[in-house]
Amino acid sequence: MTRIAEGVFWVGAIDWTLRDFHGYVTPHGTTYNAYLVLDEKKALIDTVRSSHFTELVARVKEVLDPGEIDYLVSSHVEPDHSGSLAQVLALCPKAQVVTVERHGEQGLQKYFHQKLPLMTVKEGSTLSLGKRSLSFIPIPLVHWPDNMMVFLSPDAVLFSTDCYGQHVATSTRFDDQSDMGLLMAEAAKYYANIIFPYPTQAARALEKTLALQPKVICPSHGVMWRGHLPQILEAYGRWTRGETRPRALVVYDTMWHSTEAMALAMVEGIAQEGVEVVLHNLGSSDLSHIVADLLEARALAVGSPILNNNLLPPVAAFLTYLKGLRPRGKIGAAFGSFGWGGATAVKAIKEDLALAGLEVMEDELAVRFSPTPEELQACRQLGQKLAQKIKG
Ligand code: FEO
């Protein structure tokens, strides 16, 4: 248990060994944050993943008997936060489950297949706990349809659900006790993988956060923000506005190193123009790490060979992931190699990049079998042209 303010506690769970969160690679593990607010009435904000139920209960019991809890607030239905809700309810016979009217009520019933003691709230609803109160701020689609922030007055503590989260497992609970380099990198990765498709909704959530002027922000994952609030809020400002810097990503996979040679020549051409460039081979870099690098990049070049008349599967998987994230406002370029089936990879990449919302360059580079020195020079030139577009 960690004290946040008088009568406000972190009682969540630490998942030190988690390395794969439904495909999102988590080298630093994660936490499932739950918070307890004590007043005349007692509220537990969120539960934890069902695997960590006993850890949650042990922390709650450091503060009070779970049977005293009056309200169990669900910040969204996602199972890593509501997964042990039914087990917790069994320990809190008088508790009502507070959820957002739109999508929350329906979502919880559908997940738990049982009648729950639900109390629905909406924008502007408040719940008095005695001397303090909770107000509810739905932020649909950041990241589930029922996401809801909760603000505790007069303490000015914001329980921010997915906003400002980071997948890190640490022995520290606050930003000012932690490695800020790691936190900001993981906050960026979280935004890129979880919130990227919803910049408008996230901008609205940021606006509401700024208006509330919280003293502490308590997200669903990772550490709480109190010492570096301007830093994380400014970062969310940049990310929701889609601000980029002169940086390109070259992402490829290869069978017999032809596409790889093209990718390396593209990198050379981009760097020759003085633009920062990052290279990822899909055989060794995971998707969640690549899109974190893409967040503030201005351009993305994707390369693939052909396998059985199709893109190499890791490239197709990357493009599928990208189409879901829709990173608008970036420049796209395509290149690749082929043997006897024609230059169909480049066409397919261009189509998918356009569907993902990128502004795709007309130029394309497709090489049969292995690139000649002249063809590699053409790759360098395409890299230079991409860099010039970035600078322009
Ligand atoms: Fe685990 Fe949507 O947050």
Side-chain angles (χ1 to χ4, degrees), residues 21 32 76 78 80-81 142-144 147 161-162 167 190 194 220-221:
F21 190 94
Y32 311 111
H76 64 308
E78 194 169 15
D80 50 331
H81 309 293
V142 191
H143 121 253
W144 277 39
N147 269 83
T161 186
D162 276 294
H167 278 312
Y190 195 92
I194 305 283
S220 292
H221 294 286

Side-chain angles (χ1 to χ4, degrees), residues 140-175:
L141 290 174
V142 191
H143 121 253
W144 277 39
D146 62 315
N147 269 83
M148 171 171 76
M149 300 200 292
V150 181
F151 189 65
L152 177 69
S153 302
D155 311 73
V157 176
L158 179 69
F159 304 99
S160 63
T161 186
D162 276 294
C163 280
Y164 322 119
Q166 338 91 51
H167 278 312
V168 286
T170 52
S171 58
T172 55
R173 298 274 63 83
F174 291 100
D175 56 346

